[in-house]
Amino acid sequence: MKKIYNQIFMLLMFVAGILLFPQQSHAQSTDSLVTYIAAAIRNNPAVIGQYRAYQAQVIGACGEGQLNDPEVSAGFFPSPMQHVNVKQVATFSVMQMFPWFGTLKAGRQMMEYKAESTYQKFREDGIALAFNVQKQWFTLLATQEKIRSVRDKLKLLKDIEAVALYQYKSPTMARGARMSDQLRLQAEEARLKEQISSLEDMMKLQMQQFNITMHRDADSPLVIPNSIVLREMPVVSWDEIEKNNPRLNQLVADGKSLQAQQAKIDGMGKPMFGVGLEYMLNGKVSMPMMESMNGKDMLMPMVKVTVPIYRRKINSAKKAAALLKSGTEYNYQSQQDKLRADYLSIVQRAADEKRKLELYQQEVDILNNTLRLMTTEYANGSTSLTDILQTTREQIDYTLKKAEAYAAYNTIVAEYEKLASRYDYAERTSFDMKK
C-alpha cells in the first residue's frame, strides 16, 4: 500500500509540474497585429472621412490662383444714335481685371497649406487609430492569459480533489482525510469556474469591440497568438519625434496658410488693373462731315484702375490673420511642451511597469514552487487544505496582475510608437484607401 501511495504522490507531482509550468507550443499563430492595424485604418469611417476632407482641400487648391472671369457687355440702340459721320447702332465691350502682383499666388499657397493641414490631421487620426488597435489587442491577449491561468489552477484543484477522495476512501489513509475537504474544493472550483466564465464573456466582448474598430462584423474570426510577449521599447531621437509629429506639422501648415492669407489680403487692398476693348457698331449717314469715316466701325482699347480708399475691412482682416498666426506659434510651443512631458512620462511609466513585471514574475515563481511542495505535503498530511487554497488564490492574483502588467507595458510601447509617428500608413505608397 505504501508503494501505491508513493506512486500517487509522484503522479500528482508530475501533473502539478505541468500545470504550474506550462510549456509554450512552438506552433504559435502568426501575430496579425500589423495586418489588423492596416485594415482598421483602411476601413475606419472616421479616417476615411478625414481623407475625403483632404482630397476636397486638394481639389479646392487647384482652383485657386486663377484670374476672375472677364466681363463682357453689350448695348443696343433701338433708334440709332446720330453722330457727325456715323449712326451708332450697338456697342460691345470685354474687360479683364488683374489683381495686384502676387495676390493670386498668395491665394493658391493659402489653399495648398490648408490642404497640407488637413493631410496632417488625417495622419494624426490614422496614428491614433493604430494606437487604439494596439491597446485593445494587448488587453485582449492579457484576458486570454488570465483565462489560461485560472483554468490551470482549476485543473490543479481537481487533481488535489482526486487525491483527497482517494485518501478518504483508503482504509490506511482515512485517519487524516476529511469529507469537508471535498466540499471545500468543490466550492473553490465553482468560484474558479465562475471567474473563467466572467473572463470568457469579457474576452468575447473585447473581440467584438476589436472587430468594430476595424469596421467589420462584430463576430468575425480573429487570429490571436497563444501568449502575450513583452515588446522591446524602440529608440527614437527627440528630433525625429518633433519632425514627424503630425500635430506639429499641422500647426506649421496653419501658420504658413495664415501668412499667405496676410499676403493675399494685402494684395486685395491695393489697386486692381483692368484691360479691355470696346467695339462700336456704326451705320452710314446721308451727309457725313468726312466721307472716309461714314459708317465705319470703331475699336477702342480701355484701361481700368480701382481706387482702394476704404481700408477698414482690409486692415481688420490683416490684423485678424496676424493674430491667428501668432496663436499658431504659441500653440506650437504648447504642443512641444506636451510632447516632451509625454516623452518623460513614458520613460518613467515603462520603468515602473518593468519593475512590477519583475516583482510579479518572482512572486509567481515562488508561489508555483510553494504549491508544488504543498501538494506533496498535503498528500503526506503535513499541510492543510486551507493553506493550499490560500496559496492558490495568491498565485492566481499575481498571475492576473502579471498579465495586466504585460498589457500595460506593451501599451506604453505602443504609446511611444504613437509619439514617434510609427504605423503612419498615410505615407506608404502601398496604402490603398477605400474608394
Side-chain angles (χ1 to χ4, degrees):
M1 182 64 66
K2 185 176 180 180
K3 182 178 180 181
I4 297 176
Y5 180 79
N6 290 333
Q7 291 176 346
I8 293 175
F9 291 162
M10 294 297 295
L11 178 61
L12 183 59
M13 290 284 291
F14 175 76
V15 174
I18 294 177
L19 295 176
L20 292 173
F21 304 98
Q23 296 181 351
Q24 296 184 355
S25 172
H26 294 288
Q28 297 287 344
S29 301
T30 303
D31 188 348
S32 303
L33 177 58
V34 176
T35 302
Y36 290 142
I37 291 174
I41 295 176
R42 185 168 55 249
N43 300 325
N44 187 270
V47 177
I48 295 175
Q50 191 61 40
Y51 183 70
R52 291 292 180 261
Y54 162 64
Q55 288 180 316
Q57 290 281 3
V58 171
I59 294 174
C62 294
E64 286 293 325
Q66 305 295 319
L67 290 172
N68 292 332
D69 294 333
E71 299 177 6
V72 177
S73 60
F76 300 92
F77 296 92
S79 297
M81 182 177 292
Q82 183 79 31
H83 290 279
V84 176
N85 294 311
V86 295
K87 292 180 180 179
Q88 191 172 359
V89 178
T91 60
F92 303 93
S93 64
V94 57
M95 177 67 68
Q96 176 66 62
M97 299 300 296
F98 297 90
W100 191 259
F101 306 103
T103 303
L104 295 177
K105 180 181 179 181
R108 184 179 67 252
Q109 289 178 340
M110 181 184 71
M111 293 301 297
E112 288 174 350
Y113 286 125
K114 283 186 177 181
E116 174 65 18
S117 176
T118 306
Y119 172 74
Q120 295 300 331
K121 183 63 171 64
F122 161 63
R123 284 187 60 217
E124 184 180 17
D125 290 349
I127 294 171
L129 179 61
F131 169 72
N132 186 33
V133 170
Q134 293 180 85
K135 184 178 180 180
Q136 293 184 44
W137 180 259
F138 297 130
T139 303
L140 177 62
L141 295 184
T143 304
Q144 181 180 250
E145 288 287 327
K146 293 178 181 180
I147 294 173
R148 181 184 295 111
S149 175
V150 179
R151 282 176 176 170
D152 291 342
K153 298 308 168 287
L154 179 61
K155 292 178 182 178
L156 177 62
L157 291 183
K158 286 185 176 295
D159 292 332
I160 295 176
E161 182 184 3
V163 173
L165 181 62
Y166 178 81
Q167 287 180 326
Y168 181 77
K169 291 182 177 180
S170 175
T172 59
M173 302 180 186
R175 181 182 300 177
R178 293 176 298 179
M179 189 60 189
S180 61
D181 285 355
Q182 291 286 315
L183 300 177
R184 293 177 63 190
L185 284 167
Q186 291 174 6
E188 187 69 14
E189 290 169 10
R191 188 184 71 83
L192 293 182
K193 288 179 181 178
E194 189 280 330
Q195 189 175 7
I196 291 173
S197 298
S198 178
L199 289 171
E200 288 176 340
D201 290 342
M202 182 186 297
M203 184 173 178
K204 181 179 179 181
L205 176 61
Q206 290 170 349
M207 294 174 68
Q208 291 174 333
Q209 292 174 334
F210 189 79
N211 278 317
I212 291 174
T213 302
M214 292 186 289
H215 194 60
R216 63 180 193 174
D217 186 73
D219 296 321
S220 298
L222 294 173
V223 179
I224 303 176
N226 294 331
S227 61
I228 183 170
V229 180
L230 200 65
R231 302 182 65 197
E232 293 185 4
M233 182 70 72
V235 178
V236 184
S237 66
W238 170 253
D239 291 338
E240 184 178 352
I241 292 176
E242 190 174 14
K243 177 183 176 181
N244 296 329
N245 184 263
R247 181 58 181 159
L248 291 179
N249 289 332
Q250 183 182 0
L251 290 171
V252 170
D254 289 340
K256 291 181 178 180
S257 175
L258 290 168
Q259 185 176 357
Q261 183 178 347
Q262 284 182 282
K264 179 182 178 181
I265 294 171
D266 186 64
M268 292 172 62
K270 293 181 179 179
M272 295 181 64
F273 303 94
V275 178
L277 289 174
E278 183 174 12
Y279 181 78
M280 292 177 286
L281 181 63
N282 299 320
K284 293 184 177 181
V285 295
S286 56
M287 298 179 63
M289 294 291 294
M290 299 176 64
E291 185 64 33
S292 61
M293 299 293 293
N294 189 16
K296 188 175 181 181
D297 296 338
M298 304 294 293
L299 183 65
M300 180 176 65
M302 294 185 298
V303 177
K304 184 178 180 181
V305 180
T306 61
V307 183
I309 59 176
Y310 303 108
R311 306 290 301 172
R312 179 175 295 181
K313 62 180 180 180
I314 296 297
N315 293 336
S316 297
K318 288 173 63 177
K319 186 175 181 180
L323 289 173
L324 290 173
K325 184 178 182 300
S326 177
T328 60
E329 294 172 356
Y330 285 109
N331 289 336
Y332 186 93
Q333 296 173 10
S334 175
Q335 184 65 19
Q336 275 185 318
D337 293 340
K338 183 179 182 301
L339 286 176
R340 290 182 183 275
D342 291 343
Y343 177 80
L344 296 176
S345 172
I346 287 173
V347 173
Q348 185 274 329
R349 287 185 286 122
D352 187 52
E353 289 297 333
K354 265 292 187 63
R355 287 192 297 268
K356 288 181 180 179
L357 276 172
E358 293 175 358
L359 172 62
Y360 296 153
Q361 184 62 57
Q362 184 179 6
E363 293 289 344
V364 168
D365 292 340
I366 292 174
L367 291 172
N368 280 338
N369 293 331
T370 303
L371 278 175
R372 184 176 58 187
L373 295 174
M374 292 178 73
T375 302
T376 304
E377 293 171 354
Y378 177 74
N380 291 329
S382 59
T383 298
S384 67
L385 181 62
T386 301
D387 294 336
I388 292 179
L389 294 180
Q390 180 62 32
T391 305
T392 301
R393 291 172 184 174
E394 292 179 4
Q395 200 276 345
I396 292 176
D397 183 56
Y398 278 109
T399 303
L400 299 186
K401 289 182 178 179
K402 177 186 172 183
E404 291 174 354
Y406 263 91
Y409 182 83
N410 286 348
T411 302
I412 292 174
V413 174
E415 187 178 349
Y416 188 76
E417 292 178 338
K418 175 187 174 184
L419 198 68
S421 301
R422 298 287 177 88
Y423 295 105
D424 187 5
Y425 286 83
E427 295 183 350
R428 299 188 181 186
T429 56
S430 60
F431 178 65
D432 181 22
M433 178 61 69
K434 182 184 289 186
K435 301 297 183 183

